[in-house]
Short mmCIF file of all heavy atoms in Angstrom, two decimals:
data_model
loop_
_atom_site.label_atom_id
_atom_site.label_comp_id
_atom_site.label_asym_id
_atom_site.label_seq_id
_atom_site.Cartn_x
_atom_site.Cartn_y
_atom_site.Cartn_z
N ALA A 1 -34.00 64.76 -27.12
CA ALA A 1 -33.10 65.88 -27.45
C ALA A 1 -31.74 65.42 -27.88
O ALA A 1 -30.94 66.26 -28.32
CB ALA A 1 -33.01 66.82 -26.28
N GLY A 2 -31.44 64.13 -27.78
CA GLY A 2 -30.14 63.63 -28.19
C GLY A 2 -29.08 63.49 -27.13
O GLY A 2 -27.91 63.25 -27.44
N THR A 3 -29.49 63.62 -25.87
CA THR A 3 -28.55 63.47 -24.77
C THR A 3 -28.30 61.96 -24.56
O THR A 3 -29.21 61.23 -24.34
CB THR A 3 -29.07 64.09 -23.48
OG1 THR A 3 -29.35 65.48 -23.68
CG2 THR A 3 -28.06 63.92 -22.35
N ARG A 4 -27.05 61.57 -24.63
CA ARG A 4 -26.68 60.14 -24.55
C ARG A 4 -26.00 59.80 -23.25
O ARG A 4 -25.32 60.63 -22.64
CB ARG A 4 -25.71 59.78 -25.68
CG ARG A 4 -26.17 60.06 -27.07
CD ARG A 4 -25.12 59.58 -28.02
NE ARG A 4 -25.16 60.31 -29.26
CZ ARG A 4 -24.21 60.25 -30.19
NH1 ARG A 4 -23.13 59.51 -29.99
NH2 ARG A 4 -24.32 60.94 -31.29
N ARG A 5 -26.19 58.58 -22.83
CA ARG A 5 -25.43 57.98 -21.76
C ARG A 5 -25.12 56.54 -22.15
O ARG A 5 -26.01 55.81 -22.50
CB ARG A 5 -26.23 58.06 -20.41
CG ARG A 5 -25.42 57.52 -19.23
CD ARG A 5 -26.06 57.87 -17.92
NE ARG A 5 -27.33 57.18 -17.71
CZ ARG A 5 -27.44 56.03 -17.08
NH1 ARG A 5 -26.38 55.38 -16.62
NH2 ARG A 5 -28.67 55.50 -16.90
N ILE A 6 -23.87 56.22 -22.09
CA ILE A 6 -23.38 54.91 -22.49
C ILE A 6 -22.58 54.31 -21.33
O ILE A 6 -21.75 55.01 -20.75
CB ILE A 6 -22.56 54.96 -23.77
CG1 ILE A 6 -23.35 55.63 -24.92
CG2 ILE A 6 -22.10 53.57 -24.18
CD1 ILE A 6 -22.55 55.82 -26.14
N ALA A 7 -22.83 53.04 -21.07
CA ALA A 7 -22.10 52.41 -20.02
C ALA A 7 -20.59 52.42 -20.21
O ALA A 7 -20.12 52.23 -21.33
CB ALA A 7 -22.55 50.93 -19.84
N ASP A 8 -19.85 52.68 -19.14
CA ASP A 8 -18.41 52.79 -19.25
C ASP A 8 -17.79 51.52 -19.84
O ASP A 8 -16.76 51.60 -20.53
CB ASP A 8 -17.81 53.05 -17.86
CG ASP A 8 -18.10 54.45 -17.37
OD1 ASP A 8 -18.43 55.31 -18.20
OD2 ASP A 8 -18.00 54.66 -16.13
N SER A 9 -18.37 50.37 -19.53
CA SER A 9 -17.81 49.10 -19.97
C SER A 9 -17.79 48.95 -21.50
O SER A 9 -17.03 48.14 -22.03
CB SER A 9 -18.54 47.95 -19.31
OG SER A 9 -19.91 47.96 -19.64
N VAL A 10 -18.68 49.65 -22.18
CA VAL A 10 -18.79 49.51 -23.62
C VAL A 10 -18.63 50.83 -24.38
O VAL A 10 -18.76 50.91 -25.61
CB VAL A 10 -20.12 48.85 -24.01
CG1 VAL A 10 -20.25 47.48 -23.39
CG2 VAL A 10 -21.28 49.76 -23.65
N LYS A 11 -18.27 51.89 -23.66
CA LYS A 11 -18.28 53.24 -24.24
C LYS A 11 -17.34 53.36 -25.40
O LYS A 11 -17.56 54.19 -26.32
CB LYS A 11 -17.94 54.22 -23.13
CG LYS A 11 -18.44 55.65 -23.38
CD LYS A 11 -18.29 56.47 -22.11
CE LYS A 11 -18.99 57.80 -22.24
NZ LYS A 11 -18.99 58.58 -21.00
N ASP A 12 -16.26 52.62 -25.40
CA ASP A 12 -15.25 52.73 -26.47
C ASP A 12 -15.71 52.09 -27.74
O ASP A 12 -15.20 52.38 -28.81
CB ASP A 12 -13.93 52.10 -26.04
CG ASP A 12 -13.26 52.84 -24.90
OD1 ASP A 12 -13.57 54.00 -24.72
OD2 ASP A 12 -12.45 52.20 -24.21
N ARG A 13 -16.73 51.21 -27.68
CA ARG A 13 -17.14 50.41 -28.83
C ARG A 13 -18.58 50.59 -29.27
O ARG A 13 -18.91 50.26 -30.38
CB ARG A 13 -16.83 48.94 -28.53
CG ARG A 13 -15.37 48.63 -28.25
CD ARG A 13 -15.15 47.13 -27.95
NE ARG A 13 -15.85 46.70 -26.76
CZ ARG A 13 -16.86 45.81 -26.71
NH1 ARG A 13 -17.31 45.27 -27.86
NH2 ARG A 13 -17.39 45.45 -25.56
N PHE A 14 -19.42 51.02 -28.34
CA PHE A 14 -20.85 51.16 -28.61
C PHE A 14 -21.29 52.58 -28.77
O PHE A 14 -20.71 53.47 -28.12
CB PHE A 14 -21.67 50.52 -27.46
CG PHE A 14 -21.69 48.99 -27.47
CD1 PHE A 14 -20.52 48.29 -27.32
CD2 PHE A 14 -22.88 48.31 -27.60
CE1 PHE A 14 -20.56 46.90 -27.33
CE2 PHE A 14 -22.93 46.94 -27.57
CZ PHE A 14 -21.76 46.25 -27.45
N THR A 15 -22.30 52.80 -29.57
CA THR A 15 -22.92 54.10 -29.63
C THR A 15 -24.42 53.94 -29.85
O THR A 15 -24.89 52.91 -30.30
CB THR A 15 -22.29 54.96 -30.76
OG1 THR A 15 -22.75 56.33 -30.62
CG2 THR A 15 -22.69 54.47 -32.14
N ILE A 16 -25.15 55.00 -29.52
CA ILE A 16 -26.62 54.96 -29.65
C ILE A 16 -27.11 56.23 -30.36
O ILE A 16 -26.48 57.26 -30.27
CB ILE A 16 -27.26 54.84 -28.24
CG1 ILE A 16 -28.76 54.59 -28.36
CG2 ILE A 16 -26.96 56.10 -27.43
CD1 ILE A 16 -29.41 54.18 -27.00
N SER A 17 -28.17 56.05 -31.13
CA SER A 17 -28.77 57.18 -31.81
C SER A 17 -30.28 57.02 -31.82
O SER A 17 -30.81 55.93 -31.50
CB SER A 17 -28.23 57.35 -33.23
OG SER A 17 -28.49 56.17 -33.99
N ARG A 18 -30.98 58.05 -32.19
CA ARG A 18 -32.45 58.07 -32.15
C ARG A 18 -33.01 58.90 -33.27
O ARG A 18 -32.54 60.01 -33.53
CB ARG A 18 -32.93 58.55 -30.81
CG ARG A 18 -34.44 58.50 -30.58
CD ARG A 18 -34.75 58.82 -29.10
NE ARG A 18 -36.16 58.75 -28.81
CZ ARG A 18 -36.70 58.89 -27.61
NH1 ARG A 18 -35.90 59.12 -26.56
NH2 ARG A 18 -38.01 58.80 -27.42
N ASP A 19 -34.05 58.41 -33.89
CA ASP A 19 -34.77 59.10 -34.93
C ASP A 19 -36.16 59.33 -34.43
O ASP A 19 -37.02 58.43 -34.43
CB ASP A 19 -34.75 58.33 -36.22
CG ASP A 19 -35.35 59.08 -37.38
OD1 ASP A 19 -36.18 59.99 -37.17
OD2 ASP A 19 -34.92 58.83 -38.55
N ASN A 20 -36.44 60.54 -33.96
CA ASN A 20 -37.73 60.84 -33.36
C ASN A 20 -38.90 60.71 -34.37
O ASN A 20 -39.99 60.26 -34.01
CB ASN A 20 -37.77 62.25 -32.80
CG ASN A 20 -36.83 62.39 -31.61
OD1 ASN A 20 -36.61 61.43 -30.86
ND2 ASN A 20 -36.29 63.61 -31.41
N ALA A 21 -38.65 61.04 -35.62
CA ALA A 21 -39.69 60.97 -36.64
C ALA A 21 -40.08 59.52 -36.89
O ALA A 21 -41.25 59.25 -37.27
CB ALA A 21 -39.24 61.63 -37.92
N LYS A 22 -39.16 58.59 -36.72
CA LYS A 22 -39.43 57.19 -36.95
C LYS A 22 -39.72 56.41 -35.67
O LYS A 22 -39.97 55.22 -35.69
CB LYS A 22 -38.24 56.52 -37.63
CG LYS A 22 -38.01 57.04 -39.07
CD LYS A 22 -36.85 56.29 -39.73
CE LYS A 22 -36.65 56.75 -41.15
NZ LYS A 22 -35.52 56.06 -41.78
N ASN A 23 -39.68 57.11 -34.54
CA ASN A 23 -39.88 56.47 -33.24
C ASN A 23 -38.94 55.27 -33.07
O ASN A 23 -39.34 54.22 -32.57
CB ASN A 23 -41.32 56.03 -33.07
CG ASN A 23 -42.29 57.16 -33.00
OD1 ASN A 23 -42.00 58.21 -32.41
ND2 ASN A 23 -43.48 56.97 -33.56
N THR A 24 -37.70 55.48 -33.47
CA THR A 24 -36.76 54.39 -33.51
C THR A 24 -35.44 54.74 -32.80
O THR A 24 -34.96 55.86 -32.98
CB THR A 24 -36.42 53.99 -34.98
OG1 THR A 24 -37.66 53.61 -35.62
CG2 THR A 24 -35.48 52.79 -35.00
N VAL A 25 -34.91 53.81 -32.06
CA VAL A 25 -33.61 53.95 -31.46
C VAL A 25 -32.70 52.86 -31.98
O VAL A 25 -33.13 51.74 -32.30
CB VAL A 25 -33.73 53.88 -29.90
CG1 VAL A 25 -34.16 52.49 -29.45
CG2 VAL A 25 -32.39 54.24 -29.29
N TYR A 26 -31.43 53.21 -32.17
CA TYR A 26 -30.47 52.31 -32.75
C TYR A 26 -29.30 52.09 -31.78
O TYR A 26 -28.89 53.00 -31.04
CB TYR A 26 -29.91 52.90 -34.06
CG TYR A 26 -30.99 53.26 -35.05
CD1 TYR A 26 -31.47 54.56 -35.11
CD2 TYR A 26 -31.47 52.35 -35.97
CE1 TYR A 26 -32.44 54.93 -35.99
CE2 TYR A 26 -32.40 52.71 -36.90
CZ TYR A 26 -32.91 54.01 -36.91
OH TYR A 26 -33.89 54.35 -37.82
N LEU A 27 -28.77 50.89 -31.81
CA LEU A 27 -27.55 50.60 -31.11
C LEU A 27 -26.53 50.04 -32.08
O LEU A 27 -26.83 49.13 -32.84
CB LEU A 27 -27.80 49.56 -29.99
CG LEU A 27 -26.58 49.20 -29.15
CD1 LEU A 27 -26.22 50.38 -28.24
CD2 LEU A 27 -26.89 47.95 -28.26
N ARG A 28 -25.37 50.67 -32.14
CA ARG A 28 -24.33 50.25 -33.08
C ARG A 28 -23.02 49.99 -32.32
O ARG A 28 -22.69 50.74 -31.39
CB ARG A 28 -24.11 51.33 -34.12
CG ARG A 28 -23.17 50.93 -35.23
CD ARG A 28 -23.03 52.05 -36.28
NE ARG A 28 -22.17 53.13 -35.81
CZ ARG A 28 -22.58 54.35 -35.47
NH1 ARG A 28 -23.86 54.65 -35.51
NH2 ARG A 28 -21.73 55.26 -35.04
N ALA A 29 -22.32 48.98 -32.71
CA ALA A 29 -21.06 48.64 -32.07
C ALA A 29 -20.08 48.10 -33.10
O ALA A 29 -20.46 47.54 -34.15
CB ALA A 29 -21.28 47.65 -30.95
N ASN A 30 -18.81 48.27 -32.74
CA ASN A 30 -17.73 47.65 -33.51
C ASN A 30 -16.83 46.84 -32.56
O ASN A 30 -16.89 47.05 -31.39
CB ASN A 30 -16.87 48.71 -34.25
CG ASN A 30 -17.67 49.49 -35.26
OD1 ASN A 30 -17.89 50.67 -35.15
ND2 ASN A 30 -18.08 48.75 -36.33
N GLY A 31 -16.06 45.98 -33.14
CA GLY A 31 -15.14 45.20 -32.34
C GLY A 31 -15.77 44.33 -31.27
O GLY A 31 -15.38 44.34 -30.12
N LEU A 32 -16.81 43.63 -31.68
CA LEU A 32 -17.55 42.78 -30.70
C LEU A 32 -16.64 41.71 -30.07
O LEU A 32 -15.75 41.13 -30.74
CB LEU A 32 -18.73 42.12 -31.36
CG LEU A 32 -19.90 43.05 -31.71
CD1 LEU A 32 -21.13 42.18 -32.06
CD2 LEU A 32 -20.26 43.97 -30.57
N LYS A 33 -16.92 41.43 -28.81
CA LYS A 33 -16.17 40.44 -28.07
C LYS A 33 -17.12 39.35 -27.59
O LYS A 33 -18.33 39.53 -27.64
CB LYS A 33 -15.50 41.12 -26.83
CG LYS A 33 -14.58 42.27 -27.15
CD LYS A 33 -14.08 42.94 -25.90
CE LYS A 33 -13.17 44.08 -26.20
NZ LYS A 33 -12.65 44.72 -24.97
N LEU A 34 -16.53 38.22 -27.19
CA LEU A 34 -17.33 37.13 -26.69
C LEU A 34 -18.20 37.57 -25.52
O LEU A 34 -19.33 37.09 -25.36
CB LEU A 34 -16.42 35.95 -26.25
CG LEU A 34 -15.66 35.25 -27.35
CD1 LEU A 34 -14.83 34.13 -26.76
CD2 LEU A 34 -16.57 34.73 -28.44
#
């Protein structure tokens, strides 16, 4: 249904999405750190 939960430690930089028709989940981030 699109309800998201993201860890507090990465919430500012990471996001998640899902395409049900493609049975695919995506993870996207910016500003990667070591």
Side-chain angles (χ1 to χ4, degrees):
T3 302
R4 303 182 206 169
R5 182 165 70 90
I6 303 174
D8 290 339
S9 60
V10 300
K11 205 168 190 176
D12 294 338
R13 301 180 294 115
F14 284 61
T15 191
I16 190 169
S17 60
R18 184 172 182 174
D19 187 332
N20 293 330
K22 294 181 178 180
N23 294 322
T24 302
V25 65
Y26 307 92
L27 183 69
R28 187 178 77 251
N30 296 114
L32 289 191
K33 304 175 180 179
L34 295 179

